[in-house]
Each structure stands twice: as structure tokens, then as C-alpha cells.
Amino acid sequence: MADPAMSVTPYWELVFDADGDPESRLRDRLLAGVAERGVRDLIVFAHGWNNDRSGATRLYDRFFAPVPRLAPAARIGYVGVLWPAMRFADEPIPDFPRAVAADPPGRPVLDKDTRHALLETFPGRAILVDQIARLLEQQPPEDAELEEFGRLVRTLVEVVAPGPQALFAADTVAEGVPQSEPEMFAGSSAAACEAFARARTECDASGSPQGFRIPNPWDGAHELLRQATYYAMKRRAGTVGERGLGRVVGQLAKAAPGVRVHLVGHSFGARLVSFALRGLPEGVRTVKSVTLLQGAFSHYAFAARLPHDARAGGVLQGQQNRVDGPLVCCHSRHDTALGTMYPLASRMAGDSRSAAESAMGRVLGAKWGAMGHDGVQAVPGTRAYTLAEALKARLPAAGCVNVDAAAVVRRGGPPAGAHSDILHAELARLVLAAGRVR
């Protein structure tokens, strides 16, 4: 049954909890409805850090809106994946109203919307959230208080046993062993906050006429909380993808064997749909394309070997071969969330060079970069196009494809840059081109 609030039809929703378990009523409605409505091509979109249904469905509605006129003869169905992620309320989203994207505050405090999001995302930890908020408000000058802040943040985002999420944190594996958690969880919190503060200052100065200002370590503490929360979302995205969406796609292959599935993900949603490939039952070939929009995970995730460590490879190595079509990765140099903070957060402590150098990608970017910033790396045979070229060309029938989308993914202020600037008809056209939907 289509959602009357959506501009496209038929539209279904899939709702998963943090461990990847689906809401069975909605799943069953999808499995029955696809066959009943005669859907030939099913576009499945997973959001990144939206906190509630209204924010996610706004995104889906806006992104899907151009599709019917771009492929008027196609029998297309639409699915919005809803999973428990969150977005900091001070993070701007281009073209979204204030109710969805708030203005950034002047001080590194927790506004009421972000506090509510943290409580919803990490239930049962209200005391921790209150303690974190109090320290951000008071900004005590002692390093010991920054260390205490880091301890509180680590406790907030840690996995509660016996859930499966701890198994889905890594992007790379060395000789079968997943990489350790980022050192921002293990090293000095005060040093991490100071490094994040320097990087934030450089990001802000690059987009502001006010120029450089003295870094405030509590700005860095706010960023540490943001990045730790995003790390938890990254871990959760892998869980929901493999244990949740991958299994549902397998069930769909049985219920409607003729349907062609096209997976689309933004930010950590790109990680989610990529891990769904790992969760597909053996022999299922219904996924005809995957489109990753500003993917917030390692650009080496699909690599068999890492350039800097021949013993290690990506946690998703070879999974692109589960797609009966291309895996298309959109990237943009304007995405400062992935070009600056992602590599710094991924390898925070233990590097003697300046955070500013790391932030600009001159030190950490190659080793710790995100695919939404520079595309899939170290996968032989990967093709590269600009967005204009990709829309004119016939995309490869299989394998990884990098598409430089900087021509349209370019707007947004600090700290995220253009990370959420994905509401463009050109990107909807790319999804159709990747899946050869006509």
C-alpha cells in the first residue's frame, strides 16, 4: 500500500531495529505488494543520519520525485529503509526547512533536539547524556575534565551485550582479524579534543570570511561526541544491512523472483546497502545495481589488498560481485565531513603531525579516507567518470564505477560541507542509468 504522503507510488517502508530485526508487518506488506502491483524495478533507499521517520521520508520523497518522468514507461516500486540512526541538529541539510535542519549554535552545547536524538538512539542512558551536556555547557579548563568527557562518550556509544553490533564495526581486516576501534576511544581524550578543535577551526575558516580563530578544545569535545556517535551509527549500519536488509532482499527474491532490485544508500546508508550484499542468501542475483551517495565508510572496503598493508583487505572484498550489474560510487571533493573529519576520526591518536595537515588529507586521507570523498580505491578494473560523462555513457555491466559528482554535490556549510547535498535530478538519473531502468 502506498504512503499517501509520498509523491511516488507504489511506496513501501522497511523498518529495522538496531540489531537488524525487521518490523514483520511492513516486511510482509512489501513482499506481497511487489507481486500484486506488478513491479519490475524496485528502488530501495537507505538514509544516513536522519533521526525520525519524517526526516527520512522527506528525503525519499524529494529524491524519488523526478523518477516517474525520467522513466515514464518503467514499472517502478519504491522502498524507504528506516533504521535507528541520528543526525546532530546543528548539521545543515541543503534545501531542507528549519524543522529538519537547524541553524548551528554559537557554543558547543547540546541543543534540545540533539539531546532528544541521543536519548532515542541510545535508550537507557539519560544520566550519561545529562553529564555530557553539563560538561559541554560548563567548559571547565582542566584536561582532567576533557578526559572525563571522553570516558562518558565511550560509555554512551559502547555496544550492550549480547547484541551482534560489535561484529560490524570494521571496514578492513588484517589476516582475518577486523581492525581495532578508532584510537579516539583508546588514547588521550584531551589530545583528541584538541586535534578535533584545530581541524574544526580550519574547516570553519575555509568557508567563513571571518578567517582563522583560536581553537577551543570544547569545540573539539563536541566534535568528539559527534564522531563517536557516527562511529556507533556506522557499526549499526553494517548490522542492519547484513542481518536485516540482505535477508529481506533474499525473501523478496522468493516472493517475486522477477523483480529487479536497485539499492541506493546515502552516507551510512551507503554502508548499510553495501553490507546487505554480504547478507544475501547464496545464489540470489536479484540486485541489479547499487548506488552509493557520499558513502561514509572506507574507500578500501571492497579492496582485496590494501596498498599500505598487503596482509589486509576490505571487509567487503569481492561483494561487488554479488551485484548483477554495477556498483556505482558517487564522490565529491566538497564533502568536508568525509574529506576532513572522517579520516581524522578513523585514525585519531598517535600521529605526530598536525591535525590541520591531516584534515586536508595530506597525511591521513590516503590511508583512512572515505569513498564518498574520493571513490572506491584499490579495486582493479574500477572505471571513473564525471557525472556528466556517466549520464551520457552506457555504464559498465558489472564491477565498481566511480562517479565524480562534485558538479552538483557542492553546497553546505561546516562541519559537513556538501555531505547531504544529494537532492538532484541528475543523481536520480544516475540510479536509473546504473540499473538500466527505462
Side-chain angles (χ1 to χ4, degrees), residues 128 131-132 135 144-158 184-185 187-190 193 224:
L128 280 172
Q131 292 173 317
I132 287 168
L135 284 173
E145 298 298 335
L146 287 169
E147 295 295 341
E148 172 64 7
F149 182 86
R151 185 191 69 80
L152 293 171
V153 169
R154 286 192 293 272
T155 305
L156 175 69
V157 303
E158 69 183 2
M184 64 178 174
F185 292 161
S188 165
S189 295
C193 292
L224 176 66

Side-chain angles (χ1 to χ4, degrees), residues 146-337:
L146 287 169
E147 295 295 341
E148 172 64 7
F149 182 86
R151 185 191 69 80
L152 293 171
V153 169
R154 286 192 293 272
T155 305
L156 175 69
V157 303
E158 69 183 2
V159 175
V160 178
Q165 294 183 51
L167 303 174
F168 294 91
D171 280 354
T172 59
V173 292
E175 296 181 338
V177 179
Q179 66 181 13
S180 60
E181 291 189 338
E183 292 182 19
M184 64 178 174
F185 292 161
S188 165
S189 295
C193 292
E194 290 169 1
F196 272 128
R198 291 193 295 271
R200 278 295 307 269
T201 298
E202 180 159 327
C203 283
D204 293 348
S206 67
S208 170
Q210 297 176 352
F212 187 82
R213 59 183 175 83
I214 298 175
N216 174 2
W218 284 101
D219 285 337
H222 188 270
E223 189 63 36
L224 176 66
L225 173 62
R226 185 198 307 271
Q227 294 297 335
T229 302
Y230 290 169
Y231 183 80
M233 295 306 99
K234 170 183 171 182
R235 183 177 60 205
R236 189 173 290 180
T239 308
V240 174
E242 181 168 334
R243 292 172 55 90
L245 182 58
R247 293 176 180 178
V248 172
V249 172
Q251 293 165 347
L252 182 64
K254 290 184 178 180
V259 72
R260 307 171 73 249
V261 176
H262 310 283
L263 301 179
V264 183
H266 170 237
S267 187
F268 290 132
R271 193 173 196 269
L272 191 158
V273 300
S274 296
F275 270 75
L277 299 175
R278 207 168 71 167
L280 291 176
E282 190 67 30
V284 170
R285 301 291 293 174
T286 56
V287 176
K288 302 301 179 181
S289 68
V290 175
T291 305
L292 310 179
L293 303 173
Q294 303 311 115
F297 61 115
S298 173
H299 54 197
Y300 294 134
F302 294 98
R305 291 288 179 269
L306 305 189
H308 53 276
D309 185 353
R311 301 167 300 171
V315 72
L316 296 173
Q317 55 186 277
Q319 292 302 315
Q320 68 272 21
N321 299 323
R322 302 296 305 275
V323 185
D324 192 24
L327 184 143
V328 177
C329 174
C330 292
H331 59 93
S332 172
R333 63 184 179 275
H334 304 299
D335 189 336
T336 54

Side-chain angles (χ1 to χ4, degrees), residues 63-207:
F63 189 87
F64 288 149
V67 173
R69 64 176 172 79
L70 294 172
R75 291 178 289 150
I76 300 175
Y78 307 85
V79 176
V81 175
L82 300 176
W83 60 287
M86 70 164 286
R87 178 187 63 82
F88 271 57
D90 66 345
E91 181 176 307
I93 301 177
D95 298 329
F96 268 61
R98 284 178 179 268
V100 181
D103 291 330
R107 285 169 53 84
V109 297
L110 283 188
D111 60 275
K112 65 177 183 179
D113 290 336
T114 300
R115 288 181 67 153
H116 177 73
L118 286 170
L119 292 171
E120 290 288 315
T121 305
F122 304 103
R125 304 187 185 184
I127 294 176
L128 280 172
V129 173
D130 287 344
Q131 292 173 317
I132 287 168
R134 189 178 304 116
L135 284 173
L136 283 173
E137 177 64 33
Q138 295 173 349
Q139 299 189 30
E142 299 86 0
D143 279 359
E145 298 298 335
L146 287 169
E147 295 295 341
E148 172 64 7
F149 182 86
R151 185 191 69 80
L152 293 171
V153 169
R154 286 192 293 272
T155 305
L156 175 69
V157 303
E158 69 183 2
V159 175
V160 178
Q165 294 183 51
L167 303 174
F168 294 91
D171 280 354
T172 59
V173 292
E175 296 181 338
V177 179
Q179 66 181 13
S180 60
E181 291 189 338
E183 292 182 19
M184 64 178 174
F185 292 161
S188 165
S189 295
C193 292
E194 290 169 1
F196 272 128
R198 291 193 295 271
R200 278 295 307 269
T201 298
E202 180 159 327
C203 283
D204 293 348
S206 67

